[in-house]
Amino acid sequence: MDRPEKDDAERRAQERWLEELLRAAEDDRPKMTDKQARIVNAAIEIFAEKGYSAASTSEIATKAGVAEGTIFRHYKTKKELLFSIVSPLVAKLVAPLVLKDFFKVLEAPYPNYESFLRAVIRNRSDFARKHLPALRILLQEIPFHPELREPYKDLVVEGVLPRIRRTVERFQAEGALRADFPSDAVIRLTVTSAVGFLFVRHILLPDYPWDEDAETERTIDFLMHGLAGPRE
Amino acid sequence: MDRPEKDDAERRAQERWLEELLRAAEDDRPKMTDKQARIVNAAIEIFAEKGYSAASTSEIATKAGVAEGTIFRHYKTKKELLFSIVSPLVAKLVAPLVLKDFFKVLEAPYPNYESFLRAVIRNRSDFARKHLPALRILLQEIPFHPELREPYKDLVVEGVLPRIRRTVERFQAEGALRADFPSDAVIRLTVTSAVGFLFVRHILLPDYPWDEDAETERTIDFLMHGLAGPRE
Amino acid sequence: MDRPEKDDAERRAQERWLEELLRAAEDDRPKMTDKQARIVNAAIEIFAEKGYSAASTSEIATKAGVAEGTIFRHYKTKKELLFSIVSPLVAKLVAPLVLKDFFKVLEAPYPNYESFLRAVIRNRSDFARKHLPALRILLQEIPFHPELREPYKDLVVEGVLPRIRRTVERFQAEGALRADFPSDAVIRLTVTSAVGFLFVRHILLPDYPWDEDAETERTIDFLMHGLAGPRE
Amino acid sequence: MDRPEKDDAERRAQERWLEELLRAAEDDRPKMTDKQARIVNAAIEIFAEKGYSAASTSEIATKAGVAEGTIFRHYKTKKELLFSIVSPLVAKLVAPLVLKDFFKVLEAPYPNYESFLRAVIRNRSDFARKHLPALRILLQEIPFHPELREPYKDLVVEGVLPRIRRTVERFQAEGALRADFPSDAVIRLTVTSAVGFLFVRHILLPDYPWDEDAETERTIDFLMHGLAGPRE
DNA sequence: CATGAATGAGCCTTCATTCAT
DNA sequence: CATGAATGAAGGCTCATTCAT
């Protein structure tokens, strides 16, 4: 892992720029009244704790300190309340993938798959920390609500994936990534390792005494060695 | 990764022995009446499709072609029905970890972390294929039913983990695994990669045209390179 | 309460004869198989404990150590099981009242309302002791099952009551009972005191350390003084 | 039972005062919405008619003209609905017994067990008339719901009974009540006669053409003669 | 806007009863 | 005769949703 100091500086700049970019793609909640905010927070807590189906609007109302009717003044149905929590999250998760500039960093002059990973993992970790309970809900409910996936499916399959595939293949051609794996396998292993880290870090064992930076670096190092090119 | 032919033969023998061992740890369902089997199957289907809470016993009864009361003759509550599907699965998942012989393979003369991984991944993949729908349910419901985790928690944390940790550290000392990672990180990366593969393969994209053996080998190869020692 | 010795002897003979008469009116249970008997006993216990409606045939079957179906082989319905316990009891309770000889004792030459009371109270107390749990059930269920009362209503109102009324009026005319009360009031007070005693003795406070004979005598003494004639 | 006119006047005054006292101990139902009142009335009717266990909430709802859910908005469970009817009644029945002033009347200068009885019987008769259906339910259900008795048991056994016993014994010592009966027997006979009267009057034969005042007087007269002292 | 009483469909569960073995 | 699995109607209760205030 020897890299000249100068490049390092540039890399770091690039990483910062990408993280900025990702952060910018997330706009904050639209304005809500105080009551509405309390409803949403109560809903997040209770959906996360017992699951959407097992949560009752009356319990949410009680925890939010509002009347049951008030919930339905803001959200036509219980499902709409769920979606108001979870859809913007899906949107934000997908958002960076459709940004014009997102993959530009990968087209920069040096081999920087690593920088890219670092930026993405850090940003998603911040993201997870910030939206943890809602992410849990998303994770739980996405299998049961195709409406949450549907709008993004084509976008990802036809828009994002091919672009990633092409980028990976360029790295492989350049010798930065091993060429004996199909690009899909490289993507799978990358995503699995990164998401796996985030899942273990934030969902499975959030209370383990993580040294976050070190663990992030290890994950990247592991990935880079596992995928190091060329190997014929 | 050049290995002499002779060792290879022995490795394969060892792998087959371990797979055998794992398979043996799974005993089959106890005998049920025809009706009971139909109830369980219907329940698996519907729990998997809409989640435990959102599934109704009347729907299960209809799909099973029995009267609703019949369900409750066999299972005192809806929850007991869920557990009858899911607890044996948890048991079977944990079973190999407590087998005396399970880690013995790792104490054999040559560096065989790889063989161990291959045996385990293959076996778990077979397992996933066989119990797919029930595994989906398990995955969905385990966060909401501490009763499912509780009996195994101490066993894993105090019994299994230390043993794995020790084994990994021995590999590190022998130079078979990189020594610059804490053993916990090695374990995390291994498990994440393996489980991540199985999750993508069976749950996330079961319909992708997988070349299972090739992909298993790639996952192992990726892992072994990512974790190759020493690097002290 | 001074009475000549000779009369006393005769009174006692009379009382014994009446008690004999009353006892004879009670024939024992018809023959049952062992299982049937166990069912009936279990039913008595459970009906008494939780009431007919709240008792379940499955609980009865369990307690009786038979299959649920077995109950319905002997009794077409749950209600029939109840009635098999309770109707013969009503019949036995009413039986003495329709005996030709029952009131004959009252037509004997001396004032012997008292002897009559003593015989009846003693006999009913024995009866209560013997059939206590079933009596509890009867008491609880009779308001909800007109079928239990119906067959005896006319008999009592038209057959028994007038006869008692006539007898009481004869005692009043003879000066043995006070004449300033209508006969119905005398009957009410008599029955109330006697039944009240039996109720308190056996149902309300069965565990109080009763001196049964003394208390019986007190009840009779109280009644005789309260109703002593003439006073008009 | 000749008593001077003057004393009579005072006695009547005293009786009226006691009746007033008893009536005061009964506070009225707390305010309810119209719907709630209809639910309670329907419940009283149906519980009385078929017993608590055999009554169904859906039937109650129909008779009350409300949705079934409405019942459970006001009463968490069916049992709570029963208790809302029956517990205040038990409380009111016991209330006079714990009034400081209740037994004071018995300590007045003349022999007035009789006045006391008259006041109590009249008051309880009014009470019975007013709460008849609920009393029927109470009578039916009290054996099956220890929770109804429990709170009052110690109060009565340790607080009320000894006081009554002492009073009765004073009357016996003074020659107003017969001294050849244990005080417990005097109490039992008194209570049995009074309660027996009320039971026959209101529950068993409510449709008999009662001359209530006359019958009350007869009961008292009967009691006073049956218990007249001293008989050493 | 907010409320919360009211709704009634639907849930899990119990139960008396039937019937093939 | 006895069994006990199976039934399905009915029970108590919960819940998302509506609407008059």
Side-chain angles (χ1 to χ4, degrees):
Chain A
M1 268 207 283
D2 57 326
R3 16 177 165 103
E5 288 300 305
K6 203 186 61 184
D7 285 7
D8 248 35
E10 241 175 293
R11 262 190 193 113
R12 269 196 297 277
Q14 213 174 51
E15 281 168 27
R16 233 171 291 126
W17 173 82
L18 186 54
E19 287 191 68
E20 205 56 47
L21 184 75
L22 288 166
R23 200 168 307 124
E26 302 163 21
D27 57 337
D28 261 26
R29 283 275 159 64
K31 53 215 143 204
M32 305 184 185
T33 73
D34 166 56
K35 293 220 154 142
Q36 197 170 353
R38 265 154 53 207
I39 290 169
V40 168
N41 288 334
I44 289 177
E45 237 176 288
I46 295 182
F47 285 159
E49 187 192 332
K50 29 178 69 169
Y52 168 74
S53 269
S56 84
T57 50
S58 92
E59 199 185 350
I60 294 171
T62 304
K63 173 156 258 164
V66 302
E68 218 175 332
T70 308
I71 293 178
F72 290 90
R73 195 146 286 287
H74 292 283
Y75 306 93
K76 259 202 290 295
T77 64
K78 186 187 168 193
K79 199 165 198 174
E80 199 179 296
L81 172 57
L82 170 68
F83 280 23
S84 86
I85 291 166
V86 141
S87 321
L89 212 67
V90 187
K92 281 184 209 160
L93 278 171
V94 175
L97 303 180
V98 297
L99 285 181
K100 281 197 304 284
D101 294 342
F102 183 59
F103 296 99
K104 216 170 245 166
V105 74
L106 297 169
E107 290 153 19
Y110 10 62
N112 45 14
Y113 197 67
E114 195 183 329
S115 293
F116 174 74
L117 286 179
R118 187 172 292 112
V120 170
I121 290 179
R122 281 199 184 141
N123 169 270
R124 294 296 90 176
S125 203
D126 288 352
F127 186 88
R129 209 183 334 278
K130 195 171 159 196
H131 300 289
L132 196 50
L135 272 173
R136 290 185 107 105
I137 300 171
L138 174 57
L139 225 59
Q140 285 299 326
E141 296 305 327
I142 215 162
F144 306 134
H145 304 277
E147 310 95 298
L148 286 172
R149 303 188 296 263
E150 216 48 52
Y152 302 103
K153 207 181 146 189
D154 288 355
L155 189 70
V156 169
V157 170
E158 286 164 28
V160 179
L161 257 183
R163 199 150 51 150
I164 300 185
R165 225 177 253 130
R166 244 175 298 127
T167 308
V168 165
E169 280 157 13
R170 194 172 52 72
F171 276 107
Q172 291 178 310
E174 285 171 3
L177 292 178
R178 60 194 299 176
D180 59 337
F181 280 12
S183 54
D184 277 4
V186 171
I187 295 170
R188 169 177 79 70
L189 290 163
T190 304
V191 171
T192 289
S193 294
V195 171
F197 168 49
L198 296 173
F199 179 81
V200 174
R201 162 71 187 84
H202 293 286
I203 307 272
L204 194 61
L205 302 170
D207 299 328
Y208 184 92
W210 295 102
D211 176 347
E212 179 134 9
D213 281 341
E215 205 70 17
T216 304
E217 285 311 312
R218 276 183 210 118
T219 306
I220 291 167
D221 193 79
F222 163 73
L223 255 169
M224 293 315 292
H225 278 93
L227 298 175
R231 255 167 279 212
E232 127 228 26
Chain B
M1 269 210 281
D2 57 327
R3 17 178 165 99
E5 287 301 304
K6 202 185 62 185
D7 285 7
D8 248 36
E10 241 176 289
R11 264 193 191 111
R12 269 196 298 277
Q14 215 175 50
E15 282 169 29
R16 233 171 291 126
W17 173 83
L18 186 55
E19 287 191 67
E20 205 54 49
L21 184 74
L22 290 165
R23 202 167 305 125
E26 303 162 23
D27 59 335
D28 262 28
R29 281 276 159 64
K31 51 209 145 212
M32 308 184 184
T33 74
D34 165 55
K35 291 230 154 116
Q36 197 170 353
R38 265 155 52 205
I39 289 170
V40 169
N41 290 333
I44 289 177
E45 236 176 289
I46 294 183
F47 285 159
E49 185 192 334
K50 28 178 69 167
Y52 169 73
S53 270
S56 88
T57 50
S58 93
E59 196 184 351
I60 293 172
T62 304
K63 171 157 263 164
V66 303
E68 205 171 346
T70 306
I71 293 178
F72 292 91
R73 177 154 289 281
H74 293 284
Y75 305 93
K76 264 199 287 293
T77 63
K78 186 188 167 193
K79 198 165 196 173
E80 199 179 297
L81 173 56
L82 170 69
F83 279 24
S84 85
I85 292 168
V86 141
S87 329
L89 214 65
V90 187
K92 281 185 208 160
L93 279 171
V94 175
L97 302 179
V98 297
L99 285 181
K100 280 198 305 285
D101 294 342
F102 182 60
F103 298 100
K104 215 170 247 166
V105 73
L106 297 168
E107 292 153 18
Y110 8 63
N112 46 13
Y113 198 67
E114 195 185 328
S115 293
F116 174 72
L117 286 178
R118 187 172 293 112
V120 171
I121 291 178
R122 278 197 187 143
N123 169 270
R124 295 294 92 175
S125 203
D126 287 353
F127 186 88
R129 210 185 333 279
K130 195 171 158 198
H131 300 289
L132 195 52
L135 272 173
R136 293 183 103 105
I137 299 171
L138 174 58
L139 224 58
Q140 286 300 324
E141 297 305 327
I142 215 162
F144 305 133
H145 305 276
E147 309 96 299
L148 286 173
R149 304 188 294 264
E150 215 49 51
Y152 302 103
K153 207 182 143 188
D154 287 354
L155 188 71
V156 170
V157 171
E158 286 163 29
V160 178
L161 256 183
R163 198 151 52 151
I164 299 186
R165 227 178 250 131
R166 245 177 296 127
T167 309
V168 164
E169 280 157 14
R170 194 172 52 73
F171 276 107
Q172 291 178 312
E174 286 170 3
L177 291 178
R178 59 193 302 176
D180 58 338
F181 281 11
S183 55
D184 276 5
V186 171
I187 296 170
R188 169 178 78 69
L189 290 163
T190 304
V191 171
T192 289
S193 294
V195 171
F197 167 49
L198 296 173
F199 179 80
V200 174
R201 161 72 187 82
H202 293 286
I203 308 271
L204 195 62
L205 301 170
D207 299 328
Y208 183 92
W210 296 101
D211 176 346
E212 179 135 8
D213 279 340
E215 205 69 18
T216 304
E217 284 312 311
R218 277 183 210 117
T219 305
I220 291 167
D221 192 79
F222 163 73
L223 257 168
M224 293 314 293
H225 278 94
L227 299 174
R231 252 170 284 211
E232 107 227 31
Chain C
M1 268 206 281
D2 57 328
R3 17 178 165 101
E5 288 300 305
K6 204 186 60 184
D7 285 6
D8 248 35
E10 239 174 295
R11 262 190 193 114
R12 269 196 297 277
Q14 212 174 51
E15 281 168 29
R16 233 171 292 125
W17 173 84
L18 186 54
E19 287 191 68
E20 206 55 49
L21 184 73
L22 288 165
R23 201 166 307 124
E26 302 163 23
D27 57 337
D28 261 28
R29 283 277 159 64
K31 52 214 144 206
M32 306 185 187
T33 73
D34 165 56
K35 292 221 154 137
Q36 197 169 354
R38 265 154 52 207
I39 289 169
V40 168
N41 288 335
I44 288 177
E45 235 175 289
I46 294 182
F47 285 158
E49 186 192 332
K50 28 180 67 170
Y52 168 74
S53 271
S56 84
T57 50
S58 93
E59 197 183 351
I60 294 170
T62 305
K63 173 157 258 164
V66 302
E68 218 175 332
T70 309
I71 293 178
F72 291 90
R73 195 146 287 288
H74 291 283
Y75 306 93
K76 258 201 292 294
T77 64
K78 186 186 168 193
K79 198 165 199 175
E80 198 180 296
L81 172 57
L82 170 68
F83 279 23
S84 87
I85 291 166
V86 142
S87 320
L89 212 68
V90 188
K92 281 185 209 159
L93 279 171
V94 176
L97 303 179
V98 297
L99 286 180
K100 280 198 306 282
D101 293 343
F102 182 59
F103 297 98
K104 214 169 246 168
V105 74
L106 297 168
E107 290 154 19
Y110 11 61
N112 44 15
Y113 197 66
E114 196 184 327
S115 293
F116 174 74
L117 285 178
R118 187 172 294 111
V120 171
I121 290 178
R122 279 199 184 142
N123 168 271
R124 295 296 92 175
S125 203
D126 289 351
F127 187 88
R129 210 184 334 279
K130 196 171 159 198
H131 301 288
L132 196 50
L135 272 173
R136 289 184 108 105
I137 300 170
L138 174 58
L139 224 59
Q140 285 299 325
E141 297 305 328
I142 214 161
F144 306 132
H145 305 276
E147 310 94 299
L148 287 172
R149 304 188 295 264
E150 216 47 51
Y152 302 102
K153 207 182 145 188
D154 288 356
L155 188 70
V156 169
V157 171
E158 285 163 30
V160 177
L161 255 183
R163 198 149 51 149
I164 299 186
R165 224 177 253 129
R166 245 175 297 126
T167 309
V168 165
E169 280 158 14
R170 194 171 50 74
F171 276 107
Q172 291 178 312
E174 285 171 4
L177 291 177
R178 59 194 301 177
D180 57 340
F181 280 10
S183 55
D184 276 4
V186 171
I187 296 170
R188 169 178 78 70
L189 290 163
T190 304
V191 171
T192 289
S193 295
V195 171
F197 168 51
L198 295 173
F199 179 81
V200 174
R201 162 71 187 83
H202 293 286
I203 308 270
L204 195 61
L205 302 169
D207 299 328
Y208 185 93
W210 296 102
D211 175 347
E212 178 133 10
D213 280 341
E215 206 69 17
T216 305
E217 284 312 311
R218 279 184 208 116
T219 306
I220 291 166
D221 192 78
F222 162 74
L223 256 169
M224 294 314 293
H225 277 93
L227 298 175
R231 239 173 287 217
E232 110 234 31
Chain D
M1 270 211 281
D2 57 326
R3 19 179 163 98
E5 287 301 307
K6 203 185 61 183
D7 285 7
D8 248 36
E10 242 175 289
R11 262 192 192 111
R12 268 196 298 277
Q14 215 175 48
E15 282 168 28
R16 234 172 290 126
W17 174 83
L18 186 55
E19 288 191 67
E20 204 55 48
L21 185 74
L22 290 165
R23 201 168 305 124
E26 302 163 22
D27 58 336
D28 262 27
R29 280 277 158 64
K31 49 211 145 210
M32 308 185 185
T33 74
D34 164 56
K35 290 230 154 117
Q36 197 170 354
R38 266 155 52 206
I39 289 170
V40 169
N41 289 335
I44 289 177
E45 237 175 288
I46 294 182
F47 285 158
E49 185 192 333
K50 27 179 68 167
Y52 168 74
S53 269
S56 88
T57 51
S58 92
E59 196 184 352
I60 294 172
T62 305
K63 172 157 260 164
V66 301
E68 205 172 346
T70 307
I71 293 178
F72 292 92
R73 176 155 291 281
H74 292 285
Y75 305 93
K76 263 197 289 291
T77 62
K78 186 186 166 194
K79 198 167 196 173
E80 198 179 296
L81 172 56
L82 170 69
F83 279 23
S84 87
I85 292 167
V86 142
S87 330
L89 213 68
V90 187
K92 280 185 208 159
L93 279 172
V94 175
L97 302 178
V98 297
L99 285 181
K100 281 197 305 283
D101 294 342
F102 183 59
F103 297 100
K104 215 170 247 167
V105 74
L106 295 168
E107 291 153 19
Y110 5 65
N112 45 13
Y113 198 67
E114 195 184 328
S115 293
F116 175 73
L117 286 179
R118 188 172 293 112
V120 170
I121 291 178
R122 278 195 186 145
N123 169 270
R124 295 294 93 176
S125 203
D126 288 353
F127 186 89
R129 208 185 334 280
K130 196 171 158 197
H131 300 289
L132 195 49
L135 273 173
R136 292 184 105 106
I137 299 170
L138 174 58
L139 225 60
Q140 285 299 324
E141 297 305 327
I142 215 159
F144 305 133
H145 304 275
E147 310 97 298
L148 286 173
R149 306 187 293 264
E150 214 48 50
Y152 302 102
K153 208 182 143 187
D154 287 355
L155 188 71
V156 169
V157 170
E158 287 163 30
V160 177
L161 256 183
R163 197 149 54 150
I164 300 186
R165 227 177 250 130
R166 245 177 297 128
T167 308
V168 164
E169 280 158 15
R170 193 171 53 72
F171 275 107
Q172 290 178 312
E174 284 172 3
L177 291 177
R178 59 194 301 177
D180 58 339
F181 280 12
S183 54
D184 276 4
V186 172
I187 295 170
R188 170 178 77 71
L189 291 163
T190 304
V191 171
T192 289
S193 295
V195 171
F197 167 49
L198 295 173
F199 179 81
V200 174
R201 161 71 186 84
H202 294 286
I203 307 272
L204 196 62
L205 301 170
D207 299 328
Y208 184 92
W210 296 101
D211 176 346
E212 178 135 10
D213 279 341
E215 204 70 15
T216 303
E217 285 311 312
R218 276 184 209 118
T219 305
I220 291 166
D221 193 79
F222 163 73
L223 255 168
M224 294 313 294
H225 277 94
L227 298 174
R231 256 168 278 210
E232 107 228 35

